[in-house]
Amino acid sequence: MKASFLLLIVIFLQLTPGFSNESLKDSLEVEKIWDKAPHNAFPDMIRFKGSFYIALREGNNHMPDKSGSIRILKSKNGEDWQSVTLLEEDDRDVREARLSITPEGRIMVLTAVGVYEGGYKILYPMVSFSDTKGENFSSLQKATMDMEPSLDWIWSLTWHKDVGYGIVYQNKVGGWEVHLLKTTDGINFKHVSQLPIDGNPNESTIRFDKEGKMYVLVRREAGDKMGVLAKSDAPYKHWTTKKLTKQLGGPNFLFLDKNTLVLGTRDYRKTGAKTVIHMTDLEGNINKTMDLPSAGDTSYPGMVIYKKKLWFVYYSSHEEKTSIYLTKIPLKELNQ
């Protein structure tokens, strides 16, 4: 599975007049790291106890069916990957796991579990926790929320000052809604506030700046479908929002420095979908865009900054079979 190869990529810059991409490297080393299942997708990645961990969904296809399960991989060096566990639920689709580290020092796996029959009939969040060594994982258990049950998907979780924050999106009759939840144990979630975003908002990733301001990157599925960057100071009840100039898919982001965000997402274009990296300011204005080798069914990146590199895992079907890929990009390249 160590089919490492060198792929040329073109680096596109936006909103930077006169810039020549000859000043940047025009190639990146990209490695296919997993393709065991018929369809391998939706990865996330963290570092824990000196190792990389990746969660991904293994299934028969992209669409929800009863084949979906979550594979957890581990690697010391980011090159040799071993399976740690497989999380499954009988007669359910388990998909799009997001990873975080709890204040108690355990890996938390947050995933969605449901039944899909031309639309979701059942959908709810489930969680699993590792031991303190990251070697054994508990069986999936259902998370609870102090909200009226609906089709509920807590898409990701970010911890800040021993509190975990996630955005749940609910499929309501009048349209989708996104709400901020918080938890101290990763199992029981309490409502904080609703985000004032229309256009069927859904997949959302949360990050915090050094002052504790919350940033939320939100995908939208209706209207003009442009993504939204929402912000709030503690206690995270009053929001400002900024509509982006791009549609998002599987959005993830990190603070590169106090003034710069590095954003990974699916880019929708007439020539076909691509997984891309956008460098933006704190308002989501794009200064640079980097295309990654990708096409078709693609995106949903996991991101880690380690040893002055951005470690970026994503899935793609540009080599026909939908597989998991990893690239490592020097931070100095992103900053140029």
Side-chain angles (χ1 to χ4, degrees):
M1 184 50 58
K2 295 174 61 179
S4 182
F5 55 91
L6 195 65
L7 293 172
L8 294 180
I9 69 168
V10 179
I11 298 176
F12 293 98
L13 300 184
Q14 298 178 347
L15 306 179
T16 312
F19 185 91
S20 172
N21 62 13
E22 294 178 358
S23 63
L24 289 179
K25 293 180 181 179
D26 63 355
S27 63
L28 289 176
E29 185 177 337
V30 179
E31 183 181 4
K32 181 193 291 187
I33 63 171
W34 198 259
D35 67 353
K36 299 293 188 183
H39 190 273
N40 310 268
F42 317 120
D44 195 21
M45 179 170 55
I46 58 170
R47 275 191 64 81
F48 179 77
K49 299 293 179 70
S51 294
F52 293 96
Y53 286 80
I54 288 175
L56 63 108
R57 177 183 179 269
E58 294 184 337
N60 291 329
N61 50 54
H62 180 113
M63 293 305 295
D65 61 26
K66 295 178 182 179
S67 70
S69 56
I70 299 301
R71 176 78 61 185
I72 306 295
L73 305 177
K74 178 182 179 180
S75 174
K76 284 283 188 182
N77 56 13
E79 297 179 2
D80 303 300
W81 295 90
Q82 295 82 39
S83 175
V84 178
T85 192
L86 185 69
L87 301 174
E88 302 176 283
E89 282 290 295
D90 291 340
D91 297 321
R92 296 287 189 270
D93 180 61
V94 187
R95 62 192 297 114
E96 296 185 38
R98 303 288 100 182
L99 301 176
S100 63
I101 300 172
T102 69
E104 294 78 22
R106 301 175 188 272
I107 299 172
M108 176 177 167
V109 186
L110 173 64
T111 190
V113 177
V115 174
Y116 188 91
E117 297 173 0
Y120 276 111
K121 305 298 182 183
I122 300 171
L123 184 64
Y124 49 83
M126 296 192 79
V127 296
S128 169
F129 300 90
S130 76
D131 58 23
T132 56
K133 294 182 179 180
E135 296 176 351
N136 300 291
F137 286 76
S138 64
S139 298
L140 287 167
Q141 64 182 110
K142 193 173 181 179
T144 67
M145 302 183 302
D146 63 347
M147 298 176 63
E148 182 179 351
S150 178
L151 297 175
D152 304 316
W153 195 330
I154 307 173
W155 195 72
S156 68
L157 192 72
T158 301
W159 294 87
H160 178 67
K161 294 184 177 180
D162 294 341
V163 178
Y165 293 91
I167 301 293
V168 62
Y169 68 90
Q170 296 187 316
N171 191 342
K172 298 292 186 67
V173 175
W176 300 353
E177 298 176 354
V178 284
H179 298 259
L180 177 66
L181 306 179
K182 66 179 181 180
T183 181
T184 55
D185 61 9
I187 302 170
N188 302 291
F189 288 79
K190 295 183 178 181
H191 186 264
V192 179
S193 61
Q194 180 177 354
L195 279 67
I197 300 174
D198 63 5
N200 283 356
N202 50 92
E203 299 165 352
S204 303
T205 296
I206 295 172
R207 302 295 178 210
F208 294 86
D209 67 14
K210 292 184 178 180
E211 285 69 46
K213 179 186 285 289
M214 181 184 291
Y215 288 65
V216 187
L217 192 64
V218 184
R219 176 180 179 174
R220 295 167 66 242
E221 284 296 303
D224 62 15
K225 298 185 179 182
M226 296 298 102
V228 167
L229 183 63
K231 301 179 189 179
S232 180
D233 292 309
Y236 313 120
K237 294 180 180 291
H238 304 287
W239 296 91
T240 60
T241 61
K242 171 70 179 299
K243 189 178 291 187
L244 307 183
T245 60
K246 292 288 185 178
Q247 185 178 352
L248 305 177
N252 197 357
F253 74 108
L254 297 172
F255 278 85
L256 189 63
D257 55 48
K258 66 179 182 179
N259 297 313
T260 308
L261 305 178
V262 53
L263 188 163
T265 185
R266 177 187 294 139
D267 188 55
Y268 298 80
R269 56 185 70 170
K270 292 181 179 180
T271 55
K274 300 283 287 187
T275 291
V276 302
I277 298 172
H278 296 308
M279 305 300 299
T280 83
D281 62 18
L282 299 186
E283 298 300 316
N285 298 308
I286 298 172
N287 298 313
K288 181 193 303 184
T289 296
M290 177 183 292
D291 285 6
L292 297 179
S294 55
D297 191 6
T298 187
S299 183
Y300 291 76
M303 305 165 67
V304 170
I305 293 176
Y306 177 66
K307 288 190 174 180
K308 298 183 179 180
K309 293 182 178 180
L310 175 68
W311 296 65
F312 190 96
V313 63
Y314 64 103
Y315 83 97
S316 177
S317 57
H318 65 283
E319 294 185 309
E320 295 187 4
K321 185 175 184 179
T322 307
S323 305
I324 307 299
Y325 296 86
L326 176 66
T327 186
K328 293 159 277 188
I329 305 171
L331 298 184
K332 63 181 181 181
E333 249 182 58
L334 297 174
N335 278 320
Q336 288 179 332

